[in-house]
Amino acid sequence: QPPLASLMECRLETGRTHQIRVHMAHIGHPLLGDDDYGSGFKTKINRLEEPIKSLVGGFTRQALHAGLLAFEHPASGETLRFESPYPDDFANLLSGLQKF
């Protein structure tokens, strides 16, 4: 049986609006919680068993996190780099999914 969900790392080149969401949905792997591009997945949630059904259904936003952003400052040319750990809700979702 294929996994319910996978943790993906995406590296963007252009930063276009909705780039990750559109491309992942296009290849049949929409983001959990994406009401615009992953709405077809909502019907699949109903087929899940508890407690995973509540975990996934209760995640109230897109399962998307920018862990690292880096770019060249337009005036100074300095490379700016920002890192951020997973927010609590995202970390709890990952932890819960790893149990299944």
Side-chain angles (χ1 to χ4, degrees), residues 61-81:
R61 64 178 183 90
Q62 300 156 17
L64 184 64
H65 173 67
L68 170 67
L69 297 173
F71 55 91
E72 187 176 296
H73 189 281
S76 70
E78 174 188 8
T79 298
L80 301 176
R81 181 182 168 102

Side-chain angles (χ1 to χ4, degrees), residues 34-51:
D34 188 344
D35 291 336
D36 293 332
Y37 300 103
S39 59
F41 186 76
K42 283 193 172 227
T43 59
K44 294 179 183 177
I45 291 173
N46 293 328
R47 295 187 294 189
L48 300 174
E49 295 179 13
E50 291 297 345

Side-chain angles (χ1 to χ4, degrees), residues 50-67:
E50 291 297 345
I52 191 81
K53 180 179 180 177
S54 293
L55 176 71
V56 173
F59 195 73
T60 59
R61 64 178 183 90
Q62 300 156 17
L64 184 64
H65 173 67

Side-chain angles (χ1 to χ4, degrees), residues 8-13 20-21 24 31 64-65 68:
M8 305 288 299
E9 179 179 318
C10 300
R11 295 178 184 215
L12 305 179
E13 297 293 325
I20 294 171
R21 296 166 58 204
M24 293 304 294
L31 275 66
L64 184 64
H65 173 67
L68 170 67

